[in-house]
Amino acid sequence: MTELETQKNTTNKTIYSCTKAKASTLLTNQRILDTIVRKSSINPTDTVLEIGPGTGNLTLKLLNVASKVVAFEIDKRMVEVLNKRVKEHGFEEKLSVIREDALKAEFPKFDLVVANIPYGISSPLVAKLVYGVNPFRSATLLLQKEFARRLLAKPGDSEFNRLAVNVKLVADVEFVMNVSKRDFLPAPKVDSSVVIIRPKDQIPDVNLDEWWAFTKTCFGKKNKTLGATFKQKKKVIELCRLSKMASSNGEEMNRNQYVCADDDGDNEESDGEECHSSSCTDGELLLFKEKIIEVLKAASFEDKRPSKLCNEELLYLLSMLNQSGIYFHELIKPSSVDNVAFAAAYS
Ligand SMILES: C[S@@+](CC[C@H](N)C(=O)[O-])C[C@H]1O[C@@H](n2cnc3c(N)ncnc32)[C@H](O)[C@@H]1O
């Protein structure tokens, strides 16, 4: 083995690291590893899910306190070292290593997640966890500091974005500690932070497909006023078409309040652009735009910016828009947990 090297640390314990530029950086600071495990409040009966165990620096500590660890690791060389170390410690019965991509694999049952994850998959992985089918108590994750800040951001903070909004809908995020690049081998270019994500007991009764599509529209330009975002000709055309489809797809929800004008062809505002829509006429588009503005005005949202709105305000606006027959997703079905779609949106 050329790329994985063992070294002795200050306490003369063997630590494992990667030496090649493209190799993974491994967390080697024992104090940080111990804190991560302690803060995770693992019970002796718990099954812990670990994503990207690498050579097992964290895994060994988890095996010390948990009933079982299930670890997803794609690198064959890492798995070899991990299995060897775990065997040396007599923990092989407690560990299942699954050599699959954690984003594509189906997770088995687990109680909580504790992991120093590969930073490149942070968004889709967090999405897969919080919107996934597996219930879990908490996820203690070591993340790139900037990414952690986005998860922790509040309305009005510069880092507040769609990911924060969507995660906050279903989970609470707690800051645990910052971790310096010096705590890794080899030292990465970025600093890190540990956070704990806890799924909420109760989540708002909202159709998730509709919510994700709505937040995608609002946060496309998060500092633009909602009035400016929703008045864009391209957006009006898109929403008019989607709302028409949602109306015809959703029978039981009385979606047909949507008013269609006659195809008079020349009602669209004259802004020099030609209107290209296969499903809405110019007359329909004009009425549809007026309707959106009416809702925004009635709910006092026209001059507000998404980056400053909390989830309660966004949920309220979405319900007002929906009540007026304005939809963001063509297929309105009962609130569904579709982590594949959500993870795909973030990958
Ligand atoms: C940053 S290292 C962390 C290693 C270890 N947890 C530690 O703290 O030292 C990330 C690990 O995730 C693995 N990995 C990367 N992408 C993965 C994926 N999609 N699914 C599972 N493992 C992955 C890498 O092979 C690597 O071992």
Side-chain angles (χ1 to χ4, degrees), residues 42 46-51 53 58-72 82 86 91-98 108 110 112 114:
I42 302 168
D46 281 336
T47 295
V48 178
L49 175 69
E50 190 186 2
I51 312 295
L58 179 60
T59 322
L60 285 171
K61 294 189 182 284
L62 295 173
L63 287 164
N64 240 325
V65 293
S67 162
K68 214 170 168 268
V69 174
V70 179
F72 282 84
L82 172 67
V86 167
F91 283 138
E92 62 271 36
E93 297 295 314
K94 292 171 86 176
L95 176 71
S96 302
V97 184
I98 302 174
F110 58 92
L112 70 166
V114 185

Side-chain angles (χ1 to χ4, degrees), residues 16 24-28 33 50-59 72-78 98 100-104 115-119 121 142 184:
Y16 290 77
S24 303
T25 61
L26 304 177
L27 179 61
T28 51
L33 287 161
E50 190 186 2
I51 312 295
T55 55
N57 295 339
L58 179 60
T59 322
F72 282 84
E73 172 58 64
I74 44 169
D75 189 330
K76 186 168 161 250
R77 303 159 314 151
M78 296 286 188
I98 302 174
E100 282 182 46
D101 183 333
L103 289 182
K104 296 186 183 146
N116 166 18
I117 66 169
Y119 292 172
I121 63 168
L142 181 61
F184 296 82

Side-chain angles (χ1 to χ4, degrees), residues 277-307:
S277 163
S278 56
S279 50
C280 294
T281 65
D282 285 358
E284 287 172 328
L285 289 172
L286 185 65
L287 284 174
F288 190 81
K289 185 175 170 180
E290 279 171 4
K291 184 155 64 174
I292 298 180
I293 295 167
E294 214 174 276
V295 175
L296 290 177
K297 277 194 174 142
S300 306
F301 279 103
E302 200 186 8
D303 299 325
K304 294 203 171 142
R305 296 168 204 279
S307 56

Side-chain angles (χ1 to χ4, degrees), residues 117-328:
I117 66 169
Y119 292 172
I121 63 168
S122 301
S123 291
L125 185 65
V126 167
K128 178 170 177 168
L129 290 172
V130 299
Y131 281 101
V133 289
N134 303 75
F136 63 97
R137 207 164 69 230
S138 61
T140 309
L141 302 177
L142 181 61
L143 304 165
Q144 186 173 332
K145 193 174 183 177
E146 288 74 17
F147 183 83
R149 286 174 72 129
R150 287 204 286 274
L151 282 186
L152 291 157
K154 295 187 178 65
D157 292 348
S158 60
E159 295 95 346
F160 190 63
N161 68 359
R162 185 164 75 104
L163 177 76
V165 158
N166 286 337
V167 170
K168 274 181 210 311
L169 185 77
V170 293
D172 295 313
V173 186
E174 182 197 331
F175 171 80
V176 176
M177 64 180 163
N178 287 324
V179 180
S180 158
K181 40 178 94 93
R182 292 187 299 276
D183 295 319
F184 296 82
L185 268 175
K189 289 200 175 82
V190 294
D191 282 318
S192 305
S193 301
V194 178
V195 301
I196 301 183
I197 300 174
R198 293 187 182 86
K200 287 183 174 163
D201 293 336
Q202 286 210 309
I203 65 167
D205 182 20
V206 61
N207 179 291
L208 293 179
D209 289 325
E210 181 69 357
W211 170 259
W212 296 329
F214 168 68
T215 57
K216 192 172 179 185
T217 292
C218 293
F219 283 82
K221 288 265 188 297
K222 65 176 187 172
N223 291 317
K224 230 178 176 173
T225 63
L226 287 164
T229 293
F230 281 99
K231 275 182 215 161
Q232 290 175 96
K233 191 166 187 173
K234 248 173 80 179
K235 198 40 77 190
V236 174
I237 293 172
E238 183 195 342
L239 293 180
C240 184
R241 184 183 59 81
L242 288 170
S243 300
K244 222 172 174 181
M245 286 165 82
S247 293
S248 54
N249 286 332
E251 294 152 12
E252 82 278 42
M253 291 171 73
N254 190 20
R255 303 262 163 71
N256 293 318
Q257 308 157 29
Y258 172 75
V259 183
C260 292
D262 288 341
D263 185 4
D264 55 12
D266 58 359
N267 275 348
E268 182 59 29
E269 273 179 353
S270 170
D271 58 3
E273 279 180 55
E274 229 188 297
C275 171
H276 293 290
S277 163
S278 56
S279 50
C280 294
T281 65
D282 285 358
E284 287 172 328
L285 289 172
L286 185 65
L287 284 174
F288 190 81
K289 185 175 170 180
E290 279 171 4
K291 184 155 64 174
I292 298 180
I293 295 167
E294 214 174 276
V295 175
L296 290 177
K297 277 194 174 142
S300 306
F301 279 103
E302 200 186 8
D303 299 325
K304 294 203 171 142
R305 296 168 204 279
S307 56
K308 295 196 162 55
L309 296 179
C310 66
N311 274 3
E312 287 68 27
E313 290 171 299
L314 289 166
L315 282 162
Y316 174 66
L317 174 60
L318 178 60
S319 80
M320 296 297 283
L321 290 164
N322 284 175
Q323 276 171 39
S324 296
I326 299 159
Y327 290 91
F328 294 78

